[in-house]
Amino acid sequence: MIRDITLGQYFPGNSALHNADPRTKILMAILFIAATFTASGTLSFIILFLSALVLFIVSRISLITVLKGLKPILFILIFTTFFQILFSRSGELLFEWWIIKIYDSGLISAAKMIVRIIVLVVSTSVLLSYTTSPIVLTDGIEGLLKPLAKIKVPVHDFALIMSLALRFIPTLLEETEKIIAAQKSRGANFSSGSLMKRARALISIFIPLLASAIRHALDLSEAMICRGYRGGDGRTKLRQMKIRFSDIVWLLASALMFAAVIILNKYGLSDLFGLFGA
Amino acid sequence: MPIIFDNVSYVYGEHTPFENKALDGVSFTIEDNMITGLIGQTGSGKSTIAQLCNGLYKPSSGTVTVDGTDINDKKNKKNKSQNFFRVGLVFQYPEYQLFEETVRKDIGYGPKNMGCSDEEIAKRVAEAVRFVGFDESRLDKSPFDLSGGQKRRAAIAGVIAMEPKYLILDEPAAGLDPTGRDDILTKLKQYQREKHTSVVIISHSMEDMANYCDRIIVLKKGGVYKCGDKNEIFSDPMALSSLGLSVPQITKLIYNANQYGVGINEPIYTVDAAYDAVMRLISGEDVK
């Protein structure tokens, strides 16, 4: 059950997106997020959707993987769609039965909502988790935040903390599973009984887990000291990050997409037809 | 009645890219009133078997029968939770599961979940503590303040206090020093002899198996390789080493000595037995 969480799931590959610089991908993700939240016109949404589709195709991640990633938000999707359709009360009335009235504006805003959520999830997960390993990602974050080091922000330490946290997610998950199994074997009941009883049963998981996290932290810090770790100053990197021509193309394309979304917000679908008609 | 595995298979992560067959159609019986050793290389399915015994895992196919009932039978759901108490399972490094404020409370956690009265819990804690040789003066300390060996004892006591009919221990002596190791295994043997329950010890060490177990089940990559008493298991040291397992060193020594014509015909798997056999051999020759 716990293993269904897809946080930080990375699929090794050799696509153009896999090979792009992590800093590029982070900036692209920011542009995509900004675009999804500024889009309002129908045309903008079409562009947004097509751009996300391009990301998905270029990444060569299987459709099943992406759909699985969408599974956790399926409920939100259905829920919001349902309310958008039922409670919009403007535009043209398309369908009426008993108290249910469906208007065209409801359908349109529901469709926009769906596109917005799907693009948000798919673009960020394709860019930041499916095609970027957690370690490379933290390297990228460190690289982007580097200017802050000038004003004495401990960027390197933040990056280290982040990559360690990511690194220990699977380890702690495995341990959680073990602890749950062990406490179940001693008769702990996590799924029935009063709320208080269940909360108490959870304590039997949290305390050992906390103890083990602290144990790992102590062991790790000692191991790091033994191997001569002394912070970020003068440290070189195994993986040198390099902005290549393709990275600039990616960035420009994303910026263009963002600009197009903003400009086209003013125009609807009918304007497009008008354009061709003229 | 024994625990019976009938043609049990278990697949981790079924229908995912990470599918991994841990057990493939294994059948064996864990007999009553004796110590059974479960031995095999890493990845041979030992720990999986342990968790199949008490119903934490459900077999992908086949049945696990405890006391004559299929523990995964959907008809009796109540059976499921009862089974945790009937088959006590001590995990690898069980000290990492201690969590209560005091050792006394932690050992009493299992009995409390079973719905025992306070007096009953106190009685069981006292008995379990005696069986594992835990220092009683430390019962009201925090389990996090104990030494490694004492933590291990407290954790094992926590399962013994549930008075399970079957006690399964996954590597109970792993990571302990030689004295602590021998002590815990000896205590477990005493426990079994006194309570006449069924105890299963999972281990890598043939030495431990030879010294403490009555019956041994040898696993190899998801299946049962051999199953029987010590004589049957250790009769062919070469076959065992081809599995990446070894016979006890003393058995190997005698085996090699016999290759040079020493002529000890009885099976040897403890140093004491070897000593007796050698002494008999020497005194026999003296008589000649």
Side-chain angles (χ1 to χ4, degrees):
Chain A
M1 68 191 151
I2 286 182
R3 288 186 193 273
D4 289 339
I5 299 170
T6 56
L7 192 75
Q9 206 171 40
Y10 169 59
F11 295 94
N14 201 22
S15 73
L17 269 181
H18 280 89
N19 294 332
D21 190 279
R23 288 170 293 182
T24 310
K25 286 191 269 189
I26 294 169
L27 291 176
M28 281 171 72
I30 293 172
L31 284 170
F32 265 90
I33 293 169
T36 44
F37 283 111
T38 44
S40 60
T42 314
L43 266 180
S44 308
F45 273 103
I46 292 173
I47 289 194
L48 202 59
F49 186 75
L50 291 179
S51 313
L53 200 65
V54 169
L55 285 188
F56 161 69
I57 292 168
V58 171
S59 72
R60 287 198 228 141
I61 299 290
S62 79
L63 184 64
I64 296 168
T65 309
V66 174
L67 290 181
K68 264 191 190 157
L70 286 174
K71 221 167 92 186
I73 57 160
L74 195 66
F75 174 74
I76 305 174
L77 272 181
I78 293 173
F79 194 72
T80 49
T81 312
F82 182 76
F83 278 95
Q84 290 278 6
I85 291 178
L86 283 189
F87 295 103
S88 289
R89 287 279 186 269
S90 65
E92 209 177 314
L93 184 65
L94 295 175
F95 176 83
E96 188 173 2
W97 177 73
W98 191 39
I99 54 161
I100 298 172
K101 286 181 184 151
I102 294 176
Y103 293 84
D104 64 341
S105 71
L107 283 182
I108 290 170
S109 58
K112 284 179 180 171
M113 189 58 121
I114 291 175
V115 171
R116 182 172 277 160
I117 295 176
I118 288 181
V119 168
L120 190 67
V121 172
V122 171
S123 64
T124 49
S125 51
V126 164
L127 283 168
L128 300 181
S129 78
Y130 295 151
T131 66
T132 317
S133 80
I135 295 177
V136 172
L137 185 67
T138 46
D139 268 359
I141 293 173
E142 189 183 353
L144 282 176
L145 295 179
K146 215 167 217 164
L148 290 180
K150 291 235 164 64
I151 53 166
K152 298 255 159 81
V153 177
V155 175
H156 172 81
D157 303 85
F158 281 142
L160 182 77
I161 290 168
M162 239 189 83
S163 54
L164 286 182
L166 287 170
R167 159 66 187 77
F168 275 96
I169 288 174
T171 312
L172 289 178
L173 274 184
E174 200 177 298
E175 267 171 30
T176 313
E177 275 183 349
K178 255 190 216 155
I179 294 168
I180 290 176
Q183 307 299 23
K184 261 193 191 164
S185 300
R186 292 166 76 192
N189 197 337
F190 305 112
S191 51
S192 67
S194 69
L195 206 62
M196 268 307 281
K197 257 193 182 155
R198 281 191 228 183
R200 271 203 62 83
L202 283 180
I203 293 176
S204 71
I205 301 173
F206 288 147
I207 306 248
L209 195 60
L210 188 70
S212 118
I214 293 172
R215 199 174 55 244
H216 280 306
L218 288 175
D219 286 352
L220 186 72
S221 58
E222 271 170 26
M224 283 169 76
I225 291 169
C226 290
R227 292 211 230 162
Y229 180 78
R230 57 189 166 86
D233 300 334
R235 233 174 120 80
T236 53
K237 282 212 157 66
L238 178 64
R239 273 177 300 265
Q240 293 287 345
M241 287 186 292
K242 220 181 197 169
I243 296 283
R244 284 173 303 184
F245 180 67
S246 58
D247 289 303
I248 296 170
V249 173
W250 276 119
L251 275 177
L252 281 179
S254 307
L256 212 63
M257 179 274 303
F258 185 39
V261 164
I262 293 174
I263 293 166
L264 290 175
N265 266 341
K266 288 192 194 127
Y267 306 98
L269 204 56
S270 50
D271 297 311
L272 185 71
F273 297 136
L275 215 68
F276 287 118
Chain B
M1 272 197 265
I3 299 181
I4 302 165
F5 273 58
D6 183 25
N7 202 16
V8 173
S9 298
Y10 188 82
V11 184
Y12 281 97
E14 218 167 351
H15 312 304
T16 69
F18 310 105
E19 198 171 281
N20 175 20
K21 205 160 198 175
L23 292 177
D24 191 3
V26 293
S27 302
F28 60 87
T29 304
I30 294 170
E31 302 287 352
D32 277 341
N33 195 12
M34 60 167 71
I35 301 185
T36 305
L38 204 56
I39 193 163
Q41 267 197 305
T42 314
S44 59
K46 293 171 299 201
S47 301
T48 311
I49 287 180
Q51 297 187 53
L52 281 164
C53 283
N54 81 343
L56 275 172
Y57 287 172
K58 242 175 146 164
S60 304
S61 68
T63 54
V64 180
T65 312
V66 179
D67 286 350
T69 48
D70 177 1
I71 57 167
N72 295 301
D73 196 348
K74 286 193 185 75
K75 276 176 219 147
N76 33 27
K77 266 198 172 156
K78 214 181 148 203
N79 206 3
K80 185 107 192 159
S81 60
Q82 283 307 308
N83 205 54
F84 288 136
F85 304 131
R86 190 165 42 184
V87 182
L89 179 54
V90 179
F91 279 77
Q92 249 175 67
Y93 298 101
E95 58 271 30
Y96 293 159
Q97 293 128 28
L98 299 171
F99 71 100
E100 287 278 16
E101 297 136 67
T102 66
V103 179
R104 189 189 300 279
K105 267 191 179 172
D106 208 287
I107 297 175
Y109 182 67
K112 200 175 151 205
N113 286 330
M114 297 168 79
C116 291
S117 66
D118 285 352
E119 301 98 75
E120 176 71 12
I121 293 174
K123 202 192 97 200
R124 286 179 174 213
V125 169
E127 197 185 36
V129 159
R130 182 174 61 80
F131 275 128
V132 297
F134 182 82
D135 180 359
E136 261 180 78
S137 64
R138 295 186 191 170
L139 266 178
D140 290 308
K141 275 196 165 179
S142 159
F144 293 100
D145 290 340
L146 301 174
S147 69
Q150 289 292 319
K151 270 188 200 169
R152 179 75 54 90
R153 280 162 217 263
I156 295 175
V159 176
I160 286 183
M162 303 198 304
E163 300 191 346
K165 220 179 134 187
Y166 305 89
L167 179 65
I168 301 174
L169 303 107
D170 196 350
E171 299 272 4
L176 295 182
D177 59 77
T179 342
R181 208 186 161 80
D182 284 341
D183 189 48
I184 282 202
L185 292 170
T186 310
K187 290 272 164 28
L188 285 172
K189 193 166 184 170
Q190 282 166 3
Y191 164 80
Q192 194 279 326
R193 297 291 185 255
E194 209 171 305
K195 297 284 263 186
H196 300 290
T197 56
S198 171
V199 173
V200 179
I201 296 177
I202 298 174
S203 171
H204 280 104
S205 156
M206 272 295 180
E207 245 83 28
D208 291 347
M209 292 283 140
N211 286 327
Y212 300 100
C213 297
D214 303 308
R215 199 163 162 275
I216 297 172
I217 298 170
V218 183
L219 296 174
K220 98 171 173 200
K221 268 242 152 280
V224 172
Y225 167 71
K226 218 171 185 187
C227 186
D229 63 18
K230 283 180 259 196
N231 297 351
E232 290 167 62
I233 299 295
F234 296 140
S235 59
D236 192 359
M238 289 305 136
L240 277 179
S241 26
S242 73
L243 285 182
L245 296 169
S246 62
V247 294
Q249 287 186 9
I250 191 71
T251 310
K252 210 189 243 164
L253 179 75
I254 300 292
Y255 180 86
N256 287 339
N258 280 338
Q259 301 293 309
Y260 289 101
V262 170
I264 296 175
N265 296 319
E266 61 195 294
I268 299 291
Y269 30 80
T270 59
V271 177
D272 290 342
Y275 177 79
D276 290 345
V278 171
M279 288 316 278
R280 248 178 288 135
L281 207 64
I282 293 170
S283 58
E285 276 173 1
D286 281 349
V287 173
K288 270 181 214 165

